[in-house]
Amino acid sequence: MTAVLQNYIDGEWCASEATEFLDVVNPATTEVLAKVPLSTAGEVDRAAQAAAQAFVNWRRTPAGDRIQYLFKLKVLLENHLEDLARTITQECGKTLAESRGEVRRAIENVEVACGMPTLIQGYNSEDIARGIDEFMIRQPVGVAAAICPFNFPGMIPFWFMPYAIACGNTYIIKPSEKVPLTLQTIMHLLEQTGLPKGVVNLVNGTTEAVDAILEHPLIRAISFVGSTPVARYIYSRAAANGKRAQCQGGAKNPVIVLPDADIAMTTRIMADSAFGCAGQRCLAASVAITVGEARQTFTEAIADTARSRIVGYGLEAGVQMGPVITAQSRSRIEALIQQGVEEGAKVLVDGRQPQIAGYENGYFVRPTILQDIDPTGKIAQTEIFGPVLSLIHLDTLEAAIALINQGHYGNMACLFTSSGAAARQFRYEAEAGNIGINIGVAAPMAFFPFSGWKDSFFGDLHGQGQQAVEFFTQTKVVVERWQEWTRKF
Ligand code: NAD
């Protein structure tokens, strides 16, 4: 019988009171792995009450003691890296190597949050006036929550949760209903650390659970990662309800290839960026803008690489790309490829309707390249979120930067070149939060903020590193006078 997933609230695994459930499906094999409950507002309320109760003692626990649970979690994650990676591949479709990389980035965030006794420090000024001192101290905000997308079930909760709890907050995580299994394993590991009950809670579900989080008076801060329309909605509802929010949205990441780039290296890196994780990374390259002679050299090389990519079930050795997440996703991607054609593009490499031996029912789209897309057309601005690379040709670096800056997303922009001056101009002028120079997936390490601009991010403080510490703390300023007359002895 198919397992029905449970929530984890107040230190207990509990069956949901939901009346609706969704299948969790392996996108390569279409096997139903589990059923996920669409938890109710009442269950979010129980999680929020439990977290608020736990906050009373947790915020009084010294940061040096709080991080001991994270040190234990790091060891458990290292020991279970392989199981976690297999689960990610099974529910999300990416290759085992990609899943291992994802867990590694989760672990890095735990390591950075272990520096909290230093990261959380404030500052002070003695004698701001004669005999008066002033301090800034950081205190936790209270109960916080994360609402997560499907594409990195093992990593994205870690952009937030380790920092939140190390800062003294208590937490609720709502994973994507498409990939809820990875977080089940992570919560079992957290349980093994002996973390006090109620400090981290898991509530499965979709819109009812999200709306309950947005409306709940005890939840003070919300971290969201997902598509732009939902990010915008979450940010505005959270703000209307007086909560702080950081909402990462979708992307359409452009990459410029200059004629002086190392074409062999550029092609290898670009193929991984555009087709890695089946193009379902928020930092996937989706438009390559070639300048000058790069048009011919890069186009030929990337087309060959795209055709030879080995597509299949991510658990099998040698597979370089897995399926996309759902049948609906595959239909949407194929419809967008067709729209590109209608806007005048040529399908240089066509990955639609592939037959993958042994996985004929899986949700596969092979790498696809659309040549000469219309820079003013819809496809140039629409997030495809699949293994589709569009090509545009322009005459100058300036024209390419101008085209990038017209886009409404601003998650990542990259440049391939051997010119330091071109690199500097690009870094200086490109309007995106994450910039790559001879890099195809400019993913910030855990000790840097996971940036994002324009419609790719709503808020001011990003996930990871010091910005996460700022998001999960409120500053308190203390002005103190202690004069001689206060001495009793
Ligand atoms: P999504 O927006 O469909 O879902 C994200 C979360 O929001 C899920 O937990 C889902 O249950 C919930 N949700 C969905 N619709 C909702 C609604 N109407 N009301 C309330 N809650 C709702 O995103 P997804 O398909 O899971 O993830 C892919 C998207 O995430 C892509 O757009 C990708 O670019 C983006 N993404 C962005 C980043 C980043 O750092 N900027 C990182 C990863 C993914």
Side-chain angles (χ1 to χ4, degrees):
M1 217 180 75
T2 313
V4 178
L5 301 183
Q6 296 193 322
N7 293 328
Y8 184 77
I9 298 175
D10 205 15
E12 303 280 342
W13 287 97
C14 39
S16 170
E17 62 190 33
T19 51
E20 283 181 80
F21 299 83
L22 293 176
D23 287 343
V24 182
V25 178
N26 179 325
T29 63
T30 69
E31 179 196 355
V32 176
L33 302 169
K35 286 193 175 294
V36 62
L38 305 192
S39 303
T40 61
E43 291 171 286
V44 170
D45 178 51
R46 281 218 305 117
Q49 301 284 355
Q53 185 59 42
F55 179 67
V56 176
N57 281 328
W58 186 245
R59 71 152 290 198
R60 288 174 166 74
T61 305
D65 293 348
R66 292 195 296 250
I67 61 169
Q68 297 310 314
Y69 300 98
L70 293 179
F71 282 114
K72 287 186 195 154
L73 180 62
K74 171 190 154 61
V75 174
L76 288 164
L77 289 168
E78 295 278 5
N79 292 344
H80 290 82
L81 193 146
E82 215 46 39
D83 323 335
L84 280 163
R86 285 183 76 82
T87 305
I88 294 171
T89 294
Q90 283 165 337
E91 67 176 348
C92 192
K94 59 184 71 170
T95 67
L96 204 48
E98 289 166 342
S99 299
R100 289 183 185 123
E102 173 174 348
V103 181
R104 186 61 39 225
R105 187 51 61 91
I107 293 171
E108 249 177 43
N109 275 285
V110 175
E111 291 166 352
V112 173
C114 283
M116 199 52 71
T118 311
L119 293 171
I120 204 169
Q121 285 174 347
Y123 48 83
N124 58 68
S125 294
E126 207 174 41
D127 286 327
I128 51 148
R130 189 170 292 272
I132 300 179
D133 307 322
E134 186 161 343
F135 309 85
M136 188 282 277
I137 51 181
R138 292 192 174 280
Q139 296 192 335
V141 294
V143 180
I147 300 160
C148 302
F150 79 80
N151 62 334
F152 282 94
M155 175 183 76
I156 286 176
F158 286 86
W159 288 353
F160 313 112
M161 182 271 287
Y163 304 96
I165 66 170
C167 286
N169 303 280
T170 52
Y171 216 59
I172 301 169
I173 308 177
K174 193 214 77 72
S176 164
E177 64 282 6
K178 297 188 181 100
V179 291
L181 291 169
T182 306
L183 201 62
Q184 295 267 316
T185 308
I186 290 167
M187 292 305 299
H188 280 291
L189 299 181
L190 259 173
E191 203 177 13
Q192 286 175 40
T193 66
L195 193 70
K197 64 179 192 163
V199 173
V200 180
N201 305 275
L202 156 68
V203 180
N204 288 291
T206 54
T207 48
E208 180 173 346
V210 171
D211 286 338
I213 289 171
L214 288 169
E215 298 303 322
H216 205 290
L218 288 174
I219 299 174
R220 305 302 315 140
I222 297 179
S223 303
F224 171 85
V225 182
S227 58
T228 289
V230 185
R232 191 180 270 121
Y233 166 71
I234 304 267
Y235 189 63
S236 56
R237 287 300 316 148
N241 288 330
K243 302 178 195 308
R244 50 174 76 181
Q246 46 180 195
C247 300
Q248 313 221 173
K252 182 82 184 174
N253 301 309
V255 176
I256 302 174
V257 184
L258 293 187
D260 64 359
D262 174 337
I263 292 295
M265 177 191 77
T266 304
T267 306
R268 187 169 36 79
I269 294 175
M270 280 292 290
D272 180 55
S273 177
F275 310 130
C277 298
Q280 299 173 122
R281 282 188 190 122
C282 66
L283 296 179
S286 56
V287 180
I289 306 169
T290 54
V291 174
E293 289 155 25
R295 174 184 211 157
Q296 196 187 343
T297 49
F298 176 72
T299 303
E300 284 168 6
I302 195 73
D304 286 348
T305 310
R307 287 188 195 103
S308 61
R309 202 110 184 132
I310 300 166
V311 179
Y313 185 18
L315 284 187
E316 289 180 358
V319 167
Q320 294 173 308
M321 193 183 101
V324 298
I325 189 72
T326 57
Q328 294 88 319
S329 201
R330 180 183 53 193
S331 307
R332 186 180 47 76
I333 293 163
E334 292 188 344
L336 285 167
I337 295 170
Q338 187 53 36
Q339 175 159 8
V341 174
E342 282 155 21
E343 288 180 5
K346 175 179 166 212
V347 189
L348 184 61
V349 181
D350 193 347
R352 291 174 285 184
Q353 310 278 325
Q355 283 299 305
I356 306 296
Y359 302 101
E360 286 76 6
N361 296 325
Y363 312 135
F364 290 95
V365 181
R366 284 190 55 86
T368 297
I369 297 185
L370 290 175
Q371 194 177 15
D372 293 332
I373 64 159
D374 175 359
T376 61
K378 198 164 169 220
I379 210 72
Q381 290 293 332
T382 305
E383 179 177 43
I384 299 178
F385 221 55
V388 181
L389 181 66
S390 300
L391 304 182
I392 294 178
H393 182 73
L394 292 172
D395 291 334
T396 62
L397 173 63
E398 287 70 23
I401 294 175
L403 179 65
I404 288 176
N405 291 350
Q406 280 164 26
H408 63 98
Y409 290 112
N411 216 31
M412 179 185 81
C414 301
L415 174 72
F416 285 84
T417 184
S418 53
S419 157
R424 185 179 189 279
Q425 181 181 350
F426 178 74
R427 165 165 62 83
Y428 196 84
E429 294 179 4
E431 292 174 7
N434 300 293
I435 296 288
I437 307 287
N438 296 319
I439 296 285
V441 180
M445 297 290 284
F447 34 88
F448 283 93
F450 196 102
S451 196
W453 285 15
K454 296 163 102 176
D455 283 358
S456 297
F457 183 71
F458 302 88
D460 45 10
L461 296 168
H462 296 87
Q464 298 197 148
Q466 189 63 44
Q467 289 203 4
V469 179
E470 288 177 38
F471 183 77
F472 288 116
T473 54
Q474 47 198 343
T475 54
K476 184 180 270 183
V477 176
V478 183
V479 184
E480 268 186 14
R481 172 187 284 137
W482 290 110
Q483 282 179 318
E484 276 303 300
W485 48 260
T486 63
R487 287 187 62 167
K488 295 279 186 291
F489 52 88

